[in-house]
Amino acid sequence: MADGKRLIGPAGAVLLRRCADRTGLTDPLAGVLPSSTAAGWRDRAGVLVHLAIAIVLGAANLSEAEQLQLHHRPLFGIAASDSTARSMLAVLDGATLAKIAKARAKVRRQVWSLLHLRPGGFPWLTVAGKRLTGWIVIDLDATIITSASNLAADLDAWLRLLALHDIDGLANAEPDTMRFRLYHLSARLAEHARRRWLRIERTWPWATSFTTCWQQLTALPAIT
């Protein structure tokens, strides 16, 4: 929580978490990462997803990721410490990374299916009057937390394609612009009728885009 008045920031984390949930990202990761029933054990898939979210929000190291997640404790529960994240990353050997890549590919196919269901169909590109169909996927990454940063790139791209594709100024915005306009928006946490609400300042220029993004992600067909 950003202060003692239930102010949450960066509130864009709820959009990225919603995107992860609606695209079915967590379950495939849980199937390839270590698990335990020991008391105090943190679900490694959740740790990896929230680390990816922190990277999208601008975290450059594990300490910054932990600090960002502390702001979201009222929304997502107790944040994983940087030592927990480091322990999770330490077990990612070549075989596990290959399984994570396979899980990402599975979710990516699910996202493509969701895009086909969107009004207007799949967003094929047109270059010099020629429509480019088919996909060649290339992972380009230069950050120090490779597995999590690849997931971060996935989440940011999927959120744009699924929920921001028709919003000028966001659909093709640079990462820093996305953080300034959408992800770093502050919101106030309120509770009513046993439900929690994020109240967004209406005067913020991108407030409507924020709520539209949430609504479009929520309206996505459930992954089966």
Side-chain angles (χ1 to χ4, degrees):
M1 192 173 299
D3 66 6
K5 299 180 181 179
R6 302 184 72 78
L7 187 65
I8 303 294
V14 301
L15 299 179
L16 294 161
R17 170 63 182 270
R18 194 64 165 178
C19 184
D21 291 343
R22 298 303 292 175
T23 56
L25 177 61
T26 306
D27 286 347
L29 292 176
V32 302
L33 292 172
S35 62
S36 173
T37 57
W41 175 266
R42 299 301 301 271
D43 173 63
R44 291 319 193 232
V47 172
L48 186 56
V49 167
H50 279 278
L51 180 56
I53 290 173
I55 291 173
V56 177
L57 296 178
N61 53 57
L62 294 179
S63 179
E64 290 182 4
E66 180 184 10
Q67 291 303 311
L68 275 171
Q69 291 176 74
L70 288 174
H71 290 303
H72 305 135
R73 180 172 178 175
L75 296 172
F76 307 130
I78 298 175
S81 65
D82 60 347
S83 59
T84 297
R86 188 171 289 107
S87 297
M88 181 269 299
L89 293 171
V91 303
L92 300 184
D93 55 15
T96 304
L97 289 173
K99 292 178 181 178
I100 291 176
K102 187 175 180 179
R104 289 174 56 219
K106 177 182 177 180
V107 178
R108 188 182 296 119
R109 289 192 296 270
Q110 294 172 166
V111 171
W112 293 344
S113 296
L114 291 173
L115 289 173
H116 276 293
L117 297 174
R118 198 180 66 182
F122 197 89
W124 300 114
L125 296 177
T126 300
V127 178
K130 181 179 179 180
R131 193 183 193 199
L132 304 181
T133 59
W135 280 80
I136 298 176
V137 180
I138 304 175
D139 275 333
L140 297 177
D141 195 275
T143 63
I144 60 172
I145 311 174
T146 304
S147 58
S149 55
N150 283 341
L151 286 173
D154 287 341
L155 281 175
D156 184 51
W158 297 342
L159 186 143
R160 294 166 187 258
L161 288 169
L162 293 168
L164 299 175
H165 58 281
D166 55 356
I167 299 180
D168 291 338
L170 291 178
N172 299 307
E174 295 293 327
D176 285 345
T177 302
M178 283 290 291
R179 294 181 189 118
F180 174 75
R181 293 179 177 176
L182 195 71
Y183 294 148
H184 283 192
L185 173 68
S186 294
R188 196 171 301 279
L189 183 64
E191 295 182 6
H192 176 69
R194 298 185 179 181
R195 298 184 66 182
R196 294 182 299 172
W197 304 81
L198 278 181
R199 300 191 180 279
I200 300 171
E201 177 56 55
R202 294 183 179 181
T203 58
W204 181 257
W206 302 94
T208 299
S209 299
F210 189 100
T211 55
T212 297
C213 181
W214 172 267
Q215 291 164 357
Q216 295 209 48
L217 290 171
T218 301
L220 292 173
I223 298 295
T224 57

